[in-house]
Amino acid sequence: MNQSKLNKLLSKLPIAKMKYFDSIGSTNDEALAWAANDAKDLSLVIADEQTAGRGRLDRKWFTPTGTALAFSLILRPSAAEHPHLSRMVGLAALSITDSLLARGLSPQIKWPNDILLNGRKVAGILIESVWSGENVDCIVIGMGVNILKGAVPDRDVLLFPATSLEDALGYPVERAEVLHDILAALILLRPRLRTDEFMAKWVALLAYRGEQVQVEMGGEGAVIGTISGLGTDGGLQLRDQSGKSLIVQFGDIRLRPFA
Ligand code: BT5
């Protein structure tokens, strides 16, 4: 990958501006700084390697050189999008799953921000915001996708099993083509963010639907329940042991027997 090849490949998409780095700490950090400055809607930061890639709750995200996609897309939400910002993680997830479905794969979304292939994590999403007073000015959508086998970290550093597109397909794929497809899917889906059809598409790809899971909510304890769907804001809807429906806004799904 390099800036001019990527510019050419993405030339038919309405990307405002792109910054490519051979190596960077975190594309989200670069995008947040750019967003706080003068970045336009649909500005893109992409790196071949990240040396300080981040997951949620300051977890590490590994992006070894030459093997993965690591990029951050800056959105300046329109007034119509503002009431639906909590759905942005769904927009990102569905953009990745669309690009995988188009390659004949069967992805699932492990709520809230993981994409699975064959029950293993192939991609992660990190959404961050830049505020202006009380309002969200920009959303940074960070995506890390394991494209080649070499992108998959060693088991001992993982909370959950991981895989790559190459593992799932049995042959290597071109990183830049996957990038193009994810961005094209996101641009196409974005106008449907507020629709019921968008939510239905998201729910249809949820992993472990109908299964009992434990959702750990950081310092706020854990709940056990059967996944039944999503709330209108993208929260995870569960049915607890007494049959009561509840919605969880953040957390990590653990499978029984809750390893
Ligand atoms: C995520 O967090 O999955 C969000 C990852 C977002 C990464 C992108 S890359 C571009 C942009 N710039 C950044 O700095 N970040 C974004 P979370 O759900 O908290 O999962 C983190 C956990 O995933 C780690 O604790 C590891 O167990 C695992 N992990 C780390 N690297 C991985 C990889 N390459 N493949 C699969 N799992 C990984």
Side-chain angles (χ1 to χ4, degrees):
M1 286 198 297
N2 63 47
Q3 177 104 27
S4 68
K5 270 194 190 160
L6 287 171
N7 277 337
K8 205 167 151 199
L9 188 92
L10 303 180
S11 62
K12 295 214 167 71
L13 298 178
I15 298 299
K17 198 171 172 186
M18 194 241 314
K19 291 186 186 177
Y20 167 79
F21 297 84
D22 285 331
S23 182
I24 199 170
S26 153
T27 57
N28 260 41
D29 288 344
E30 180 70 25
L32 285 169
W34 193 9
N37 198 353
D38 61 351
K40 295 199 169 66
D41 185 53
L42 290 175
S43 294
L44 179 67
V45 178
I46 173 155
D48 185 32
E49 173 197 47
Q50 289 188 122
T51 55
R54 296 187 286 111
R56 291 172 305 143
L57 306 170
D58 281 332
R59 293 174 194 144
K60 286 196 168 77
W61 182 262
F62 299 95
T63 311
T65 184
T67 59
L69 274 178
F71 63 93
S72 302
L73 185 68
I74 300 169
L75 300 185
R76 287 197 181 272
S78 66
E81 287 172 335
H82 268 277
H84 307 291
L85 294 185
S86 62
R87 295 186 179 186
M88 285 293 178
V89 66
L91 178 67
L94 290 173
S95 309
I96 299 175
T97 55
D98 270 359
S99 77
L100 300 178
L101 286 165
R103 286 174 167 77
L105 296 167
S106 305
Q108 288 189 304
I109 300 169
K110 177 170 176 269
W111 183 90
N113 68 319
D114 294 345
I115 307 301
L116 308 183
L117 282 176
N118 305 318
R120 294 167 168 265
K121 181 163 172 172
V122 70
I125 297 159
L126 179 65
I127 308 270
E128 294 181 295
S129 311
V130 175
W131 292 77
S132 163
E134 305 255 291
N135 296 315
V136 171
D137 205 23
C138 280
I139 295 280
V140 169
I141 301 180
M143 301 195 208
V145 189
N146 299 331
I147 304 289
L148 302 176
K149 289 178 188 225
V152 179
D154 289 340
R155 272 170 177 228
D156 53 347
V157 297
L158 293 175
L159 298 170
F160 191 84
T163 191
S164 65
L165 258 77
E166 183 179 4
D167 279 322
L169 287 166
Y171 54 85
V173 278
E174 190 56 53
R175 282 182 294 166
E177 284 172 16
V178 183
L179 170 71
H180 172 278
D181 295 352
I182 293 173
L183 293 171
L186 187 144
I187 289 161
L188 206 66
L189 266 175
R190 188 177 175 187
R192 285 148 54 190
L193 189 68
R194 63 201 171 106
T195 64
D196 293 344
E197 173 209 354
F198 177 89
M199 293 308 294
K201 189 174 157 90
W202 190 358
V203 170
L205 288 176
L206 272 189
Y208 321 123
R209 231 169 4 129
E211 289 179 40
Q212 197 180 46
V213 298
Q214 173 167 314
V215 183
E216 283 172 16
M217 300 180 296
E220 293 187 27
V223 290
I224 294 176
T226 303
I227 296 184
S228 54
L230 293 170
T232 53
D233 58 359
L236 186 69
Q237 196 168 43
L238 299 165
R239 201 164 291 284
D240 74 9
Q241 279 132 324
S242 65
K244 207 174 83 200
S245 183
L246 61 137
I247 292 188
V248 177
Q249 297 301 344
F250 68 95
D252 282 296
I253 291 180
R254 301 266 182 267
L255 305 180
R256 298 200 81 161
F258 310 140

